């Protein structure tokens, strides 16, 4: 829970909007999720595009191990 709180605060500090969640995964508004996902795949990071849920401007990410979270944060910094 502490890891999720820290992780989501860092994502919000980068300017991303998150949909509140009680679980270890959450939705993040990114605009064009399809292209955003493609850019992250180039970094070797796979996330879920939520277009199939009717949310084409959101991706779904999960809290993971600290080093994995940091890798995603670095990719978000590069792609924001």
């Amino acid at each position: 829970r502490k890891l999720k709180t820290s992780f989501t605060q860092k994502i919000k500090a980068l300017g991303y909007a998150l949909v509140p969640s009680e679980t270890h995964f959450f939705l993040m508004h990114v605009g064009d999720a399809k292209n955003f996902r493609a850019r992250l795949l180039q970094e070797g990071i796979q996330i879920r595009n939520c277009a199939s849920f009717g949310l084409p401007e959101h991706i779904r990410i999960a809290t993971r191990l600290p080093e994995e979270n940091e890798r995603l944060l670095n990719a978000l910094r590069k792609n924001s």
Side-chain angles (χ1 to χ4, degrees):
R1 200 166 202 78
K2 290 179 187 177
L3 189 58
K4 178 186 174 190
T5 300
S6 171
F7 185 46
T8 57
Q9 287 173 345
K10 290 176 182 177
I11 291 172
K12 289 177 185 177
L14 293 173
Y16 292 100
L18 302 175
V19 176
S21 170
E22 295 296 320
T23 66
H24 74 285
F25 59 88
F26 45 92
L27 300 179
M28 184 170 87
H29 185 266
V30 295
D32 184 349
K34 181 180 177 181
N35 286 329
F36 195 86
R37 180 179 187 273
R39 291 195 312 266
L40 288 182
L41 280 173
Q42 291 176 349
E43 302 281 335
I45 297 174
Q46 186 167 350
I47 49 89
R48 177 80 186 249
N49 173 349
C50 295
S52 64
F53 305 143
L55 300 167
E57 294 187 345
H58 290 79
I59 60 170
R60 186 180 78 183
I61 56 179
T63 306
R64 303 200 39 134
L65 296 173
E67 57 272 12
E68 293 172 304
N69 292 342
E70 194 58 39
R71 188 167 168 236
L72 175 58
L73 287 167
N74 287 333
L76 292 175
R77 286 180 190 104
K78 289 166 87 175
N79 287 286
S80 55

